Amino acid sequence: MENRVYIFDTTLRDGEQSPGASMNAAEKLRVARQLEKLGVDALEAGFPASSEGDFESVQMVAHKIERAEVVALARTAKADIDRAWQAVQKAAKPRIHTFIATSDIHLEHKLNMNRDAVIQEAVEAVQYAKALTPNVEFSAEDATRTDRDFLCRVFEAVIAAGATVVNLPDTVGYALPQEFGEQVAYVRAHTPNMHQAVLSVHCHNDLGLATANTLAGIHAGARQAEVTINGIGERAGNTSLEEVVMTLYTREDRLKLTHGIHAEEIYPTSRLASLITGIVVQPNKAVVGANAFAHEAGIHQDGVLKNPMTYEIMRPETVGLATNRLVIGKHSGRHAFKQKLAELGYDFSKSDLDRLFEKFKRLADKRKEIYDEDLEVLVVEAILRGSGTYALEYLNVVSGTVAVPTATVKLKIKDQVVQGAGFGVGPIDAAFNTIAKLAGSRSQLVRFSVNAISGGMDAQGEVTVRLKENGRVALGKGADPDIITASARAYVNGLNHLEYMKQNPSLTLRNSSV
Ligand code: KIV
Ligand code: ZN
């Protein structure tokens, strides 16, 4: 059996189904480019039939990505498959991924179909997709709660119809590792034509078992792993790419499997995905969490100083951590700035570059050292997130032990500038209250968090807010060396996201449609 594991990244599709994590086309493209640099074999860019916005994002990614396969998801309906194909057909390596549920629970309560009808629908979908492209993946949704022999019948039929990859998802995160491994082995042994397709696994993390299940599936012979950066995804998330890849890397002695991932791009990719989606990585997250390589106990510190191997099974440099590259500073010119952005994968028009350079100079005046991560924040804020309905023009906050915290704000709403002042229990509360009043927002602040972007006392503060209004949840992010300004920016960014969701209701719909 082949010993190469194919890494299929679905950060831009299943990952984007994390509540509030929607990305616009420019943001998706930025993540896609980084995923390509990371070395993923395939990247699922979205679900084109779900919304016009998603269609455009997938199309944009398909046009620009050269090495990795670009995958579009579709239900079995012909209209969905057509839409998926329209979105990816210009890709260097396109793939259509079609799916239907196969468990009795879904057949009875969701699809209202019998088993034979499901097989027929799956076969017709695969045949239809196969007439468009040779590269077709089929997923049996809720496979882990599907009767094993029926699953084998489905896989046999879709492989005969032309599927080149068959995927076994643990859609609801229900399986146990040993059980999942046994199911994969069973399906391999009892699907007569399985050797004609790649067997894939796709796990959700509802019981915290996604990585263990994926590895059990690989151990049992699956050769494609469907994963997301930082494990983001529907509900408790999907299998995390970094955990699977670093297990293959660290335990190569035992697993004897290879993959195409450039491990040193793991941490930069994790940071970028977190920045763009607004989903903060928990500090104790394996491989990419802030504490993943921090040694607190004196006995551990002593050991690591003597020899890192005493308490470290992998080196932070291996995953690209601790390589915070100092890039440019106050005295750098436009040329160096442009060059650095090109290195990060950006190619901007002159006007965007001018706008960014001005912001960079302003930041460089405040900070001594500028890192790659600071530049990423600058780009995401100034360009990728677009202008939106609201823009913060001016903020002045008075606070202290005796003053009542007061904020004065000028807010641009489309083309009109409005201004006002307001109070709060603290300076951030005062700023938020004033902005909300000026924007006429009834949203509720349900989460607020601050992180330091790069090292040092003058590090930029990165603020994430989560705003809720009429059942819609939007994330906002902002960064600045001054955390009150960063907070106000994050709040305005969250309001822009909410506004965007109101104007594009299909976005909210999409998040619950698969
Ligand atoms: O979890 C799932 O079943 C999915 C399929 C669409 C592959 O995401
Ligand atoms: Zn999924």
Side-chain angles (χ1 to χ4, degrees), residues 163-380:
T164 40
V165 179
V166 286
N167 183 34
L168 200 160
D170 185 22
T171 305
V172 290
Y174 176 73
L176 299 171
Q178 193 181 347
E179 180 189 31
F180 191 66
E182 280 165 14
Q183 191 182 17
V184 169
Y186 188 92
V187 162
R188 282 189 64 220
H190 295 86
T191 307
N193 52 0
M194 186 54 89
H195 58 282
Q196 293 170 20
V198 173
L199 180 54
S200 167
V201 286
H202 171 120
C203 298
H204 281 266
N205 206 28
D206 298 66
L207 293 172
L209 294 172
T211 299
N213 284 341
T214 297
L215 290 166
I218 292 171
H219 186 65
R223 283 296 174 265
Q224 174 177 283
E226 300 200 354
V227 291
T228 62
I229 301 298
N230 301 332
I232 63 169
E234 187 82 32
R235 305 182 310 278
N238 288 54
T239 305
S240 104
L241 178 146
E242 56 278 7
E243 292 173 14
V244 170
V245 167
M246 287 316 289
T247 305
L248 295 179
Y249 181 97
T250 309
R251 298 312 312 272
E252 206 260 331
D253 59 319
R254 178 124 190 166
L255 299 171
K256 303 203 184 330
L257 293 167
T258 64
H259 56 82
I261 297 296
H262 308 299
E264 70 286 0
E265 291 298 332
I266 285 180
Y267 186 70
T269 313
S270 160
R271 279 289 310 149
L272 184 74
S274 168
L275 175 68
I276 286 185
T277 59
I279 298 180
V280 179
V281 176
Q282 77 197 55
N284 58 324
K285 167 81 179 63
V287 184
V288 291
N291 296 346
F293 295 94
H295 301 279
E296 190 69 24
I299 197 166
H300 288 204
Q301 290 171 351
D302 180 54
V304 169
L305 287 173
K306 287 177 176 147
N307 184 336
M309 278 171 69
T310 49
Y311 287 100
E312 274 181 6
I313 56 165
M314 49 192 163
R315 298 291 299 143
E317 306 81 89
T318 309
V319 295
L321 209 136
T323 51
N324 244 350
R325 283 149 291 188
L326 171 62
V327 281
I328 37 181
K330 196 172 163 148
H331 302 294
S332 305
R334 185 180 296 265
H335 185 72
F337 181 67
K338 186 174 174 199
Q339 191 104 348
K340 188 65 217 175
L341 288 177
E343 238 175 73
L344 290 174
Y346 295 111
D347 178 19
F348 290 120
S349 67
K350 187 174 171 319
S351 62
D352 279 349
L353 202 69
D354 288 349
R355 196 144 59 92
L356 276 174
F357 190 64
E358 201 188 299
K359 286 187 182 287
F360 158 70
K361 282 287 177 191
R362 247 183 275 147
L363 180 65
D365 273 342
K366 290 193 202 163
R367 291 207 57 186
K368 283 200 286 294
E369 297 167 332
I370 307 262
Y371 295 89
D372 285 2
E373 289 164 345
D374 297 308
L375 283 187
E376 290 282 11
V377 172
L378 209 72
V379 170
V380 170

Side-chain angles (χ1 to χ4, degrees), residues 69-91:
E69 289 182 32
V70 178
V71 187
L73 184 70
R75 284 164 295 203
T76 44
K78 288 192 174 125
D80 261 42
I81 297 173
D82 284 337
R83 206 73 184 127
W85 180 238
Q86 282 159 14
V88 288
Q89 61 184 342
K90 295 275 163 54

Side-chain angles (χ1 to χ4, degrees), residues 405-436:
T406 311
T408 310
V409 174
K410 265 193 204 167
L411 191 69
K412 196 167 174 193
I413 307 179
K414 294 191 180 134
D415 291 330
Q416 219 197 333
V417 176
V418 290
Q419 66 178 50
F423 309 106
V425 292
I428 294 173
D429 190 45
F432 286 5
N433 288 343
T434 313
I435 295 168

